[in-house]
Amino acid sequence: MTFARPDHISDLDTLPRMPAWVTSVRVEPLEDVAFLSGAALAHLHLVLGRDCVPQTLLRDRLALRAAEACVAFSGRPERAGELRDSVHLLRPGDLPGPAGETCLAWRRATERPVTVKSLVRALPELQGDQIATSLDAGQGAPVTRAAMVLDAVLREAPRADVAGLILADATLAQALGWDRLVPLLAAGLKRADLRKRGDDLRLACHRALLSSVVVAVRQAADLARRAAHLKAVAPKLRAKGAGDAVEMFLTRDAIAPSALPLPDRAARRLCDRLVDLGALRELTGRDTFRLYGV
């Protein structure tokens, strides 16, 4: 297994920056907000096309953010830390609970190319024909299509916000020519927005995307730098299986040492070594049941 040398990662310095005019002016009319959200999505499209951005890791981290928003919509208290625990510290036979199920749904939705089959895997409570019908509910420009899908799902099932938001993001991805779902809408919407319909919901979706894309672009740049550093220090690792472990960290938001392809003690030592090298962070602040991520 080979890793790019630090002097080969010049692409990091050329990641395009979001133009200030996209976010510096607060506008109200639908057509103006739509123009700015379109500009933001076009910029994100360029960022996602850069090889230095760890795409799978970015989607997984955005999935956690979307799950956190959906859990908050439902009135539950779990936040990112609890959601990570509910997913990554599960033992065989354990159930993740409602918040964990929400987190797993978003993660599964981003793991595979957007198809009806992959969305059934993320949303097993829905049938394939229901998902196909929902995806066909939108017409027009990408954000309009996504808003129409969300509108259609919530009209039929007002409490199905997780399914509606996943299907809306899937519709957006398809309309933009992305093969994978990028979680964007949920984290930018407010709970009250989910009760809106028609043009009001469309305006809320444009605003949500404008704010979420800014966060996604910033996160993409941060993860690109962190991934480059992890690859740079990887040759210093001597543990057998360290290369495979590094690849896992480059694709997942968080990992427990027990999930790494190393003996338990060696896995913990590797994680601590990478933290010492500034390539990983310990995400829980605990002395036990720790989770690590880029």
Side-chain angles (χ1 to χ4, degrees):
M1 183 176 299
T2 60
F3 296 94
R5 291 168 52 190
D7 57 349
H8 289 170
I9 315 176
S10 59
D11 202 22
L12 278 174
D13 299 324
T14 62
L15 272 178
R17 295 185 178 183
M18 180 78 73
W21 57 265
V22 175
T23 57
S24 61
V25 179
R26 180 171 177 79
V27 292
E28 295 298 333
L30 174 58
E31 59 271 22
D32 290 345
V33 181
F35 173 77
L36 293 178
S37 74
L41 285 167
H43 182 84
L44 178 60
H45 184 83
L46 293 176
V47 170
L48 294 178
R50 297 302 178 95
D51 291 338
C52 64
V53 176
Q55 309 281 343
T56 306
L57 174 57
L58 176 63
R59 289 194 300 270
D60 201 31
R61 195 145 287 177
L62 291 175
L64 176 67
R65 190 165 178 261
E68 187 177 30
C70 288
V71 168
F73 292 155
S74 69
R76 297 189 63 88
E78 293 91 344
R79 294 298 177 260
E82 290 90 349
L83 292 175
R84 282 185 174 123
D85 285 353
S86 69
V87 170
H88 297 290
L89 299 180
L90 274 182
R91 293 175 297 184
D94 285 352
L95 296 176
E101 288 288 2
T102 295
C103 193
L104 285 172
W106 278 105
R107 295 188 73 217
R108 289 168 182 156
T110 66
E111 287 174 348
R112 300 181 182 184
V114 177
T115 63
V116 170
K117 183 178 180 180
S118 67
L119 292 171
V120 168
R121 179 173 175 268
L123 300 168
E125 70 275 15
L126 298 180
Q127 300 295 319
D129 57 346
Q130 291 177 288
I131 290 175
T133 299
S134 295
L135 293 177
D136 289 338
Q139 298 178 349
V143 181
T144 298
R145 287 172 58 181
M148 291 176 70
V149 167
L150 179 58
D151 193 344
V153 172
L154 293 179
R155 283 181 189 274
E156 184 172 338
R159 295 182 180 274
D161 47 289
V162 174
L165 288 162
I166 286 176
L167 293 175
D169 272 333
T171 300
L172 183 68
Q174 288 183 325
L176 293 170
W178 300 343
D179 67 334
R180 303 295 178 102
L181 184 155
V182 179
L184 293 171
L185 278 167
L189 289 168
K190 299 178 176 62
R191 188 175 186 177
D193 291 332
L194 299 178
R195 296 192 291 271
K196 296 176 180 178
R197 297 292 177 263
D199 284 348
D200 288 339
L201 179 59
R202 186 151 56 105
L203 176 60
C205 286
H206 280 295
R207 284 179 174 156
L209 288 168
L210 190 54
S211 64
S212 285
V213 167
V214 171
V215 173
V217 168
R218 188 183 306 124
Q219 201 153 50
D222 179 60
L223 290 177
R225 287 190 294 270
R226 292 179 179 276
H229 182 54
L230 176 57
K231 292 177 183 179
V233 304
K236 300 179 181 180
L237 306 174
R238 296 291 179 258
K240 185 178 180 180
D244 291 337
V246 167
E247 288 293 341
M248 291 175 67
F249 282 117
L250 289 170
T251 59
R252 302 187 192 182
D253 163 66
I255 298 178
S258 60
L260 296 175
L262 291 87
D264 188 55
R265 183 175 296 179
R268 293 197 303 271
R269 283 201 304 264
L270 176 67
C271 291
D272 290 339
R273 171 70 170 148
L274 287 170
V275 170
D276 291 340
L277 291 169
L280 286 186
R281 295 174 295 156
E282 200 288 309
L283 301 172
T284 69
R286 298 187 296 246
D287 293 329
T288 58
F289 299 106
R290 290 180 158 190
L291 297 173
Y292 296 83
V294 172

